[in-house]
Amino acid sequence: NHFIVIKESTLNIPKVPAPFATFLLRIPLAVMFLQQGLSKFPVNEVTAEAFGLPFIVWWFVAYGEVGSAIGLIVGGVFGILFTKGLLSELADLLTRFSGITMTCVVTGVIWIMMPDSLIDVITRDYLHVSLYVGGLYFALRGNAKYGL
């Protein structure tokens, strides 16, 4: 009998708890959405028309970008501070709602650009794809918990 014995690694690299690690993902995503949202203020009909959008859609885009950025950070902070109970659950919901809002906004942006195909978006529009996937991650995952 010939058995290959795999020795356990002696290299122990400490791991940062998941809530802190995922918080680092939130920062650039939130900054991008906050920057884009604030650049739309003051929200007015002239700018909405320049993009070919009804004012109400432009309003939701601007406030959705700012709100989702703030919500993503606040949801993460509360998720770190409160690990159980109602505040923990509300923080998770805020994170998920912010992620859903981000994916909706980016979907609209991609749609307005009228790409030729999905492959065209994936291969040429890495920024919006990255923002979409970031929002989708938090929409599906919510807040990371300690020890999971």
Side-chain angles (χ1 to χ4, degrees), residues 2-3 8 21 26 29-30 33 56 59 73 78 82 87 99 108 119 122 138 143:
H2 298 284
F3 292 100
E8 227 178 278
R26 293 170 192 262
L29 189 60
F33 273 85
I56 190 70
W59 187 93
I73 296 297
F78 276 45
F82 303 100
L87 287 177
I119 297 298
I122 293 169
F138 287 108
N143 286 347

Side-chain angles (χ1 to χ4, degrees), residues 13-82:
I13 300 172
K15 291 185 179 182
V16 176
F20 291 105
T22 59
F23 193 80
L24 296 176
L25 295 174
R26 293 170 192 262
I27 295 169
L29 189 60
V31 166
M32 288 291 294
F33 273 85
L34 188 63
Q35 174 195 12
Q36 288 301 307
L38 290 176
S39 73
K40 293 172 177 62
F41 283 85
V43 179
N44 58 51
E45 290 186 29
V46 174
T47 310
E49 288 174 7
F51 282 92
L53 296 172
F55 175 73
I56 190 70
V57 172
W58 189 247
W59 187 93
F60 275 110
V61 167
Y63 283 95
E65 287 175 340
V66 171
S68 65
I70 293 169
L72 193 64
I73 296 297
V74 170
V77 168
F78 276 45
I80 290 171
L81 296 176
F82 303 100

Side-chain angles (χ1 to χ4, degrees), residues 1-5:
N1 289 333
H2 298 284
F3 292 100
I4 297 175
V5 178

Side-chain angles (χ1 to χ4, degrees), residues 100-127:
I100 289 168
T101 303
M102 289 175 170
T103 57
C104 289
V105 168
V106 177
T107 299
V109 169
I110 293 170
W111 189 6
I112 286 173
M113 294 177 357
M114 293 185 229
D116 294 332
S117 68
L118 179 61
I119 297 298
D120 195 39
V121 173
I122 293 169
T123 58
R124 296 187 180 162
D125 193 6
Y126 64 90
L127 175 63

